[in-house]
Amino acid sequence: MAQRLDESAPAQTTAREQIRQFAPRLIVLALMCVLVQGLMGLSYMGAFGKPEAKKAPFIVVSHTEGNAGYIANKLNAIDGQPVLATISTDEKAAIEQVKKDRAVGVYVFNPSKTEKNPKDTLYYASAQGASRAQVAQTVATKTSQNAKRGLVTHDVVKAAPDDARGTAAFYLVLAWMVGAYLLPASMTTVVGNRSHTAIGARMRLLLFAAYAVLSGIVGTLVAQHMLDALPGPFWKMSAMGMALVFAVSTFTFGLTSAFGSLGVGLAILLFVILGNPSAGGAFAYDVLPEPWRSVGPYLPNGAGVDAVRSIAYFGGVDLTRPLWVVAVWGVIGLWILFMIGNNTYRFAPGGVDASDDDGVGAVGEFVEHQLGHHPPHRQEGGRGPGYERESRERASETASNDDVDGRGDAGDRTAELPLRRDRRERHDTADHPGDGDAPA
């Protein structure tokens, strides 16, 4: 009975150690998930809970500037200023602004006094999205009703048959984005949080490039051929998807390399919690509240939606900002990797030891190296996973200090090593004679 109790004691001790080791980590992980859940609810409900138009560009046209100015002033005086109305006397030029996605609508006032039931005209584009089309229709309807006039509407840029609410561009970009940050994030469970050598980093970048090409083509095929959701040039839209996917993958890889597992959370915070609600998909920028209205165009999500929608419906106009935004995010990711390569790999000339990858990324390794702290993973005999690396670093520091002193102590100690080894061998032979030295 006593023997059984003695055997169960080590098992109980091991269980306690495992609980003590993993329980805090599991609690922290659960709290982080709750935090992500709360932030996601706050972001999505804050952005979509109370959509309200704010200064949407709107054009009032009349052959008489006085009439157009009177209507525009009335519109700009509405509480909350849902539209920012300007005037024009050139109807065709004003309609062209709608066709280029630069105005939500054009209200044409007809001052004819000979008609018994005068009617005004509204031009809008359903391809801009349901929220912008609704703003134009609501404002024009109220204006005509207050003036006791009729209203005729014209959709000058119609959305595709499978894009009834003008959100197909958003969902295509969403699909691209999910794969773009999911690939580097999932790689952390397969090959670690970061590359252990510069060659490994280059291999991952090549993988991201190949994946981006495939992702851009497949996404456009689904939108244009499997569904009639987005028109426009196939290869131009595919190229936009390739650039977006590569930039987001590279940036996410940079985050995971720098911050380890925390980098995945940062990518989710940027691209899911903040990026998706502010992308201008479900609701246009004109309808979103702050801060989503301001940050949306400068995140990859919003830039991608703007670019895809422009390519599909508006002839590819105004692509400068979206392309610059995507390029900057990709360059930042490459810059992070470059800095990690210059400041982390040189700590260990043979590369970062995979056994030392504790999930904290290069930043954690940099701090650990600067503080001179090494985790106490010691096995029997004093040799743990980081023992060889620690020994190499200690030997390198000793050699560099001796070179600075210039006294040649390192060389003297090195020369003494064979002599000391020979003395130990002779001592061992004398104390423990072999078979050949045994007395007859």
Side-chain angles (χ1 to χ4, degrees), residues 3-334:
Q3 184 177 1
R4 291 182 179 179
L5 291 176
D6 294 340
E7 293 177 353
S8 62
Q12 295 176 357
T13 303
T14 302
R16 293 194 191 98
E17 291 178 353
Q18 291 180 348
I19 294 174
R20 191 179 301 110
Q21 180 181 1
F22 293 106
R25 300 182 184 181
L26 295 176
I27 293 174
V28 171
L29 179 61
L31 291 176
M32 289 181 64
C33 291
V34 172
L35 177 62
V36 170
Q37 171 187 322
L39 290 175
M40 183 173 292
L42 176 63
S43 182
Y44 279 72
M45 288 186 285
F48 300 152
K50 191 178 179 181
E52 186 177 0
K54 186 72 174 179
K55 293 184 178 181
F58 195 80
I59 303 175
V60 179
V61 176
S62 177
H63 297 295
T64 305
E65 290 186 359
N67 293 333
Y70 176 80
I71 296 174
N73 290 334
K74 288 289 186 181
L75 294 177
N76 290 331
I78 298 175
D79 292 339
Q81 201 172 4
V83 296
L84 181 60
T86 58
I87 65 174
S88 175
T89 57
D90 190 338
E91 183 175 338
K92 291 183 178 180
I95 296 174
E96 194 66 22
Q97 295 299 305
V98 177
K99 292 182 177 180
K100 292 183 178 179
D101 197 19
R102 296 172 182 170
V104 298
V106 172
Y107 184 88
V108 180
F109 176 73
N110 181 12
S112 175
K113 297 181 180 180
T114 59
E115 297 182 5
K116 294 182 180 180
N117 297 313
K119 294 182 179 180
D120 297 333
T121 308
L122 169 68
Y123 296 94
Y124 71 98
S126 60
Q128 292 183 356
S131 60
R132 298 194 98 196
Q134 184 177 0
V135 169
Q137 291 171 342
T138 301
V139 169
T141 300
K142 289 184 178 180
T143 301
S144 62
Q145 289 177 350
N146 292 336
K148 297 181 180 180
R149 303 170 66 86
L151 182 67
V152 179
T153 62
H154 295 283
D155 188 354
V156 295
V157 185
K158 294 183 179 180
D162 291 334
D163 187 19
R165 296 187 59 83
T167 56
F170 168 70
Y171 290 117
L172 175 59
V173 170
L174 177 63
W176 278 334
M177 292 287 297
V178 169
Y181 62 74
L182 185 61
L183 176 61
S186 60
M187 288 177 66
T188 61
T189 63
V190 179
V191 292
N193 290 315
R194 65 194 190 279
S195 298
H196 305 300
T197 62
I199 296 177
R202 296 190 190 102
M203 291 180 63
R204 291 199 189 191
L205 289 177
L206 289 175
L207 174 62
F208 296 154
Y211 172 78
V213 172
L214 184 62
S215 179
I217 294 174
V218 170
T220 308
L221 279 173
V222 171
Q224 291 191 348
H225 296 280
M226 296 184 67
L227 299 171
D228 189 6
L230 288 171
F234 176 86
W235 288 110
K236 194 172 184 178
M237 189 175 297
S238 298
M240 185 64 225
M242 297 173 194
L244 178 67
V245 171
F246 181 76
V248 174
S249 297
T250 302
F251 185 83
T252 305
F253 176 38
L255 290 181
T256 57
S257 298
F259 301 103
S261 301
L262 181 61
V264 178
L266 293 175
I268 293 175
L269 176 64
L270 287 171
F271 303 137
V272 179
I273 295 177
L274 185 60
N276 284 342
S278 61
F283 293 100
Y285 302 134
D286 308 319
V287 183
L288 292 174
E290 294 290 353
W292 297 271
R293 181 201 308 269
S294 298
V295 302
Y298 302 101
L299 290 173
N301 313 57
V305 171
D306 292 342
V308 170
R309 184 175 286 153
S310 176
I311 293 171
Y313 294 113
F314 303 103
V317 298
D318 297 335
L319 287 177
T320 302
R321 178 190 54 80
L323 291 177
W324 269 109
V325 170
V326 172
V328 167
W329 282 88
V331 169
I332 292 175
L334 292 174

Side-chain angles (χ1 to χ4, degrees), residues 345-431:
Y345 297 139
R346 65 186 176 90
F347 294 158
V352 182
D353 190 358
S355 62
D356 293 335
D357 188 359
D358 55 1
V360 297
V363 171
E365 182 183 345
F366 176 81
V367 174
E368 178 182 334
H369 182 272
Q370 295 299 320
L371 295 179
H373 171 72
H374 300 280
H377 299 302
R378 298 297 186 193
Q379 299 175 358
E380 294 183 2
R383 294 180 178 270
Y387 176 81
E388 296 180 359
R389 176 182 167 193
E390 183 178 351
S391 301
R392 290 196 303 268
E393 293 178 353
R394 190 183 299 112
S396 176
E397 293 174 358
T398 303
S400 61
N401 293 335
D402 293 335
D403 291 341
V404 173
D405 293 340
R407 293 175 300 186
D409 294 341
D412 296 341
R413 285 193 297 270
T414 304
E416 292 176 1
L417 291 177
L419 179 61
R420 292 178 180 177
R421 188 182 298 110
D422 294 340
R423 288 177 180 175
R424 285 197 301 269
E425 290 177 355
R426 287 197 298 270
H427 178 73
D428 294 341
T429 303
D431 293 343

